[in-house]
Amino acid sequence: GVFARVDIPQDAVVTEFRGEVVRPVLADLRERRYRAQGRDCFLFHVSRQVVLDSTHLGHYGRFTNHSCAPSLYTKVLEFEGGRVRLVFCARTDIRAGQELTFDYRFREEEGADKVPCRCGAPQCKGTLN
């Protein structure tokens, strides 16, 4: 997990989720390959056309844990030429030492194994998908 080292005001940019920009079809292939290899994968679906693969080219933002009561929200920044960046912003004022979390919002897939959520939030949904 990732924890705040200093107090962070609401709506401040906290960190960025960096990674290789790939199309969703390639991200799906990579996810299957990573899982077959028993490796963790860090894929973030930014849009229908863009996935950030932080498995090899990321930084600490990829270690931000899920919570059903997150301290962060995501914001997509778009630039000329179609470049995008994904940043995490403070949902509320964050205290030094507080864990930084966001809602992974995994899509629900029929017939897929449910991934249990253990965030401990009072309003926990029970699963990530």
Side-chain angles (χ1 to χ4, degrees):
V2 180
F3 295 82
R5 296 180 82 186
V6 297
D7 291 342
I8 303 168
Q10 182 176 355
D11 294 321
V13 173
V14 177
T15 190
E16 181 179 1
F17 189 96
R18 294 184 191 154
E20 182 181 0
V21 177
V22 297
R23 293 186 329 263
V25 73
L26 179 57
D28 291 343
L29 292 171
R30 287 183 178 189
E31 181 176 11
R32 284 193 291 276
R33 186 177 74 223
Y34 297 152
R35 299 236 184 263
Q37 295 170 343
R39 300 176 64 187
D40 290 331
C41 64
F42 299 92
L43 300 167
F44 197 109
H45 290 257
V46 176
S47 69
R48 292 187 186 272
Q49 298 85 22
V50 175
V51 177
L52 294 176
D53 183 353
S54 186
T55 305
H56 300 290
L57 299 174
H59 79 316
Y60 73 88
R62 69 182 170 171
F63 298 117
T64 307
N65 286 323
H66 164 83
S67 176
C68 294
S71 59
L72 305 174
Y73 64 91
T74 58
K75 186 173 186 176
V76 177
L77 306 177
E78 298 181 33
F79 299 91
E80 286 185 37
R83 290 185 325 113
V84 298
R85 294 178 82 167
L86 180 76
V87 295
F88 293 124
C89 300
R91 180 178 292 284
T92 61
D93 290 339
I94 296 172
R95 297 175 316 281
Q98 183 177 339
E99 184 173 13
L100 303 176
T101 59
F102 74 103
D103 186 343
Y104 288 1
R105 293 182 285 167
F106 285 169
R107 64 180 176 255
E108 191 169 332
E109 298 178 42
E110 195 166 317
D113 292 333
K114 293 292 184 183
V115 178
C117 179
R118 296 181 178 89
C119 73
Q123 68 272 32
C124 180
K125 297 177 281 193
T127 65
L128 298 181
N129 55 344

